[in-house]
Amino acid sequence: MDILVCVKQVPDTTEIKIDPVTNTLVRDGVPSIVNPFDGYAVEAAARIKDNAPDTRIVVLSMGPPQAEAALRECLAIAADKAYLVTDRKFGGSDTLATSYILSKAIAKVEELEGKKFDAIFCGKQAIDGDTAQVGPEMAEHLDYPQVTYALEAAVEGEDLHVTRETEDGKEIMGVKMPCLVTFTKPSYDPRFPTIKRKMKARKAEITHLTTAELTNIDLTHVGLKGSPTRVKRTFVPPRKEAGVVIKEETGEASAQKLYELLSKAHVI
Amino acid sequence: MESKSKDLWVLCETNEDGTAKNIGVELLNPGRRLADKQGGKLVSVVIGYKTDAAVKDVSTHGADQVIVVDSEEFQRYSTDAYVAALAHLLEKYAPTSMLIGATPNGRDLGPRLSCHLGTGLTADCTALDIDEDSGNIAWTRPAFGGNLMAVILCPDHRPQLGTVRPGVFKKPEAGEDKAEVIREDFHVEACKIRTSLLQVIREEGGEVVDLEGADIIVSGGRGVGGPEGFGVIRDLADALGATVGASRAAVDEGWISHAHQVGQTGKTVGPKLYIACGISGAIQHLAGMSSSDVIVAINKDPEAPIFSVADYGIVGKISEVVPALTAEINKAKA
């Protein structure tokens, strides 16, 4: 079994603050992390490897050279090999262009590895862009079946059995490999790396793939020029006006006050 | 792809019984405004099986035209069948734009479809307008966990596609049925559908909870303290004629079934009144309820993020405040 996990390095959006003077996003000093949903995808691959130790897990990322840190973290947790797609020409790519680049990079990695991946795992979305589009778009480029919102995946012969979250609960989907699966937050916590793996990951060689290696890429389909969507502008959402805070002596008095306010406003 | 018309399409997802999902009707509201500004028809695309009820629903809620694909393989959503059907329709009719609900299925489908057509898609929009300068749709969406809003355009590719967050727009008023209905005979061979549903895991009790249609929701989170803590939540809900909701934390703890979950992985709701009890207000929960008309938060932690979206906030213990509120309501009713 060969699994490729796609990961993205993202700013920890829970640490992002708004500058009250300029009303813009303060990104300085915000730590970079492995996108948490991609971490769940790594964990899902690791769980398959727990049951089938001859499984090979390869991680792939696209980003600036410092995204190597995210790949090393995945190597420390469970991955066997890491590749980084990095080239200034890829900057400004929207989800369609990004998924195109990654699908071509996957073909290149398969060539270098000398075999095809049975499954591509991704997080359901990155916590910075929040689009949840790159996974399914890659699946379309590759013409693979997809399962999104997965909680866990198990190998059953030629198929993957994927437990996925739905609006009403859960369901188990069977899907033929090769396929692409995007993962959401499972009910268990992902594992931590061991010290030994961390040491090894620090020294691991990460193969960079640039436009020099990725000769299969049509450069008219990448970057800002190759992207169908444009960001017209961004803004910090207006803060909702502070609500009424009720803090009477007792819970009972607060409840009475709330009831008065709600009935006066004809809410109840 | 060149567009052949100025029409605006809205996808209507259907339930297994052939009725329309709420989002399919909700989207006719912003759809009407955009279609008028674009100078084209508002077209609802209904895909499902035995969909007469859904067709009727969108026809009476403002669609000028309804395009129907009705066949057994569409009874349940599958990526392959739905992408095939929509790609076929979009290539045939080539409208200028299409709105898809940002439901789990819509977000599974949208990117696959946009990639298939080689066009742009904007995810999970919360506001829609026409860009005055260019006449393109201006898709407004949150990013960075809601900390930043971005306005996105798709200037040179057609159709312009976007998924729209459920619960943001209200359903339009029902009116007369004046839509022209076009039935498209389209089928997908079973072998082309590469996924199969093996098992639906229903929770014990398997209750049906109508959160999306509720006028009032009383929700409990980790702060209610345990399964028995939902007793006072249910009492308050009963007194108000409300539906009981829950945060993911309470559902993950097993205190209440998933059917009650509000938030990014549960239901997106927009009731007239939302009372959040012991819910801290993780961004995923806020995404599911922040478009409620009036929000009340009751929490013992004055720093809880839920207070930032609340119209009325009480800092206090659930076990004291909630029963007292129930008593007030019952007293007024008596």
Side-chain angles (χ1 to χ4, degrees):
Chain A
M1 177 85 175
D2 289 277
I3 305 172
L4 179 81
V5 187
C6 297
V7 302
K8 184 181 182 188
Q9 189 180 48
V10 295
D12 187 347
T13 55
T14 57
E15 301 276 323
I16 278 182
K17 303 261 184 309
I18 307 295
D19 184 322
V21 181
T22 59
N23 212 28
T24 51
L25 225 53
V26 182
R27 294 177 71 165
D28 289 347
V30 175
S32 288
I33 56 169
V34 175
N35 175 42
F37 293 108
D38 301 343
Y40 308 140
V42 172
E43 175 65 28
R47 287 183 170 227
I48 288 175
K49 189 168 182 164
D50 291 343
N51 290 323
D54 62 340
T55 301
R56 182 168 166 84
I57 303 173
V58 175
V59 281
L60 174 70
S61 188
M62 179 166 119
Q66 48 283 26
E68 272 199 0
L71 287 168
R72 287 192 199 283
E73 203 174 317
C74 299
L75 287 167
I77 292 164
D80 299 298
K81 170 73 190 160
Y83 293 87
L84 178 67
V85 177
T86 184
D87 199 304
R88 284 187 174 276
K89 292 197 179 81
F90 298 149
S93 294
D94 72 355
T95 65
L96 189 68
T98 300
S99 64
Y100 169 71
I101 297 164
L102 287 171
S103 67
K104 292 297 179 188
I106 290 169
K108 183 69 193 178
V109 171
E110 286 180 333
E111 191 189 308
L112 294 170
E113 293 271 316
K115 52 190 167 185
K116 288 253 178 199
F117 293 105
D118 301 291
I120 315 287
F121 285 2
C122 319
K124 72 157 180 166
Q125 69 192 54
I127 58 166
D128 52 354
D130 286 327
T131 72
Q133 288 179 183
V134 172
E137 284 171 346
M138 270 197 292
E140 180 66 24
H141 282 299
L142 296 164
D143 194 21
Y144 284 178
Q146 74 187 40
V147 180
T148 52
Y149 296 91
L151 295 164
E152 49 195 309
V155 180
E156 297 285 342
E158 305 281 292
D159 292 359
L160 271 187
H161 285 189
V162 181
T163 307
R164 75 187 289 260
E165 208 167 53
T166 67
E167 278 177 293
D168 309 309
K170 289 176 196 167
E171 62 189 20
I172 301 176
M173 300 288 288
V175 57
K176 287 233 169 313
M177 291 189 277
C179 60
L180 185 143
V181 184
T182 77
F183 287 86
T184 186
K185 187 176 195 272
S187 53
Y188 51 79
D189 289 322
R191 69 197 63 193
F192 289 104
T194 60
I195 300 280
K196 203 172 139 201
R197 285 198 70 104
K198 258 188 171 166
M199 306 270 286
K200 209 172 143 211
R202 207 175 296 160
K203 289 186 228 124
E205 189 209 339
I206 292 176
T207 306
H208 284 210
L209 300 173
T210 67
T211 45
E213 290 79 27
L214 296 169
T215 50
N216 53 347
I217 288 184
D218 176 351
L219 292 175
T220 61
H221 289 144
V222 307
L224 204 56
K225 279 200 169 146
S227 298
T229 59
R230 293 271 177 285
V231 179
K232 164 123 175 163
R233 67 186 181 101
T234 61
F235 60 95
V236 172
R239 296 233 143 216
K240 192 169 169 167
E241 271 180 53
V244 180
V245 179
I246 303 163
K247 200 173 184 314
E248 303 292 311
E249 286 291 305
T250 64
E252 206 170 309
S254 293
Q256 274 170 9
K257 178 93 186 188
L258 173 66
Y259 180 77
E260 278 167 33
L261 289 168
L262 288 178
S263 13
K264 218 190 280 172
H266 302 291
V267 178
I268 51 175
Chain B
M1 209 164 102
E2 293 275 323
S3 53
K4 291 182 194 163
S5 76
K6 292 178 178 174
D7 294 352
L8 179 111
W9 281 20
V10 169
L11 176 65
C12 179
E13 279 187 62
T14 54
N15 297 304
E16 277 178 65
D17 63 2
T19 55
K21 290 205 178 183
N22 287 327
I23 181 73
V25 183
E26 276 171 36
L27 290 183
L28 293 170
N29 176 2
R32 177 83 268 161
R33 200 165 41 82
L34 294 177
D36 290 349
K37 283 194 180 180
Q38 286 183 173
K41 288 194 293 288
L42 173 60
V43 180
S44 171
V45 179
V46 176
I47 302 181
Y49 183 49
K50 296 188 173 166
T51 56
D52 289 353
V55 172
K56 177 96 184 149
D57 212 359
V58 295
S59 299
T60 51
H61 283 88
D64 299 316
Q65 194 178 66
V66 185
I67 299 175
V68 190
V69 174
D70 190 315
S71 186
E72 202 172 349
E73 64 269 34
F74 301 109
Q75 183 168 23
R76 276 191 74 93
Y77 172 81
S78 74
T79 313
D80 290 331
Y82 274 62
V83 170
L86 278 165
H88 166 76
L89 295 176
L90 287 165
E91 279 163 358
K92 178 172 173 183
Y93 292 91
T96 182
S97 38
M98 179 165 188
L99 313 181
I100 298 169
T103 59
N105 290 345
R107 295 187 77 176
D108 181 276
L109 167 75
R112 197 94 207 195
L113 188 63
S114 70
C115 186
H116 187 91
L117 300 169
T119 189
L121 170 70
T122 308
D124 202 21
C125 301
T126 53
L128 305 167
D129 213 333
I130 299 288
D131 177 50
E132 295 291 337
D133 305 332
S134 63
N136 293 306
I137 295 186
W139 310 89
T140 301
R141 66 177 304 269
F144 289 91
N147 287 303
L148 190 73
M149 305 298 289
V151 181
I152 311 282
L153 306 178
C154 177
D156 306 316
H157 294 71
R158 292 293 178 268
Q160 311 168 76
L161 300 177
T163 60
V164 181
R165 187 178 286 188
V168 171
F169 297 99
K170 305 281 180 220
K171 285 186 186 183
E173 297 285 325
E176 60 174 316
D177 177 350
K178 56 178 174 64
E180 174 199 4
V181 178
I182 299 174
R183 297 192 175 270
E184 281 284 334
D185 191 25
F186 185 82
H187 303 278
V188 179
E189 288 170 70
C191 65
K192 296 276 168 63
I193 301 171
R194 296 168 289 181
T195 52
S196 55
L197 178 69
L198 302 174
Q199 194 189 338
V200 174
I201 305 170
R202 297 228 188 272
E203 285 164 272
E204 276 181 52
E207 35 183 346
V208 178
V209 182
D210 183 18
L211 285 164
E212 288 159 308
D215 276 340
I216 305 179
I217 295 172
V218 182
S219 274
R222 200 189 295 279
V224 307
E228 62 289 341
F230 270 91
V232 295
I233 306 294
R234 286 180 201 281
D235 291 346
L236 175 58
D238 285 346
L240 287 165
T243 303
V244 175
S247 70
R248 176 165 191 147
V251 173
D252 280 354
E253 291 284 353
W255 298 345
I256 187 162
S257 77
H258 180 83
H260 293 271
Q261 189 173 317
V262 172
Q264 216 167 52
T265 55
K267 292 281 182 359
T268 304
V269 300
K272 295 196 174 93
L273 174 61
Y274 189 92
I275 305 182
C277 308
I279 293 176
S280 63
I283 197 87
Q284 293 81 2
H285 189 76
L286 300 185
M289 47 65 76
S290 55
S291 55
S292 306
D293 293 348
V294 175
I295 296 170
V296 172
I298 305 169
N299 203 300
K300 68 174 182 343
D301 173 12
E303 301 297 320
I306 190 78
F307 286 117
S308 71
V309 299
D311 299 284
Y312 301 95
I314 293 186
V315 180
K317 277 192 187 160
I318 301 301
S319 57
E320 287 173 13
V321 177
V322 176
L325 183 59
T326 308
E328 282 297 316
I329 290 157
N330 285 333
K331 202 163 75 189
K333 282 202 290 195

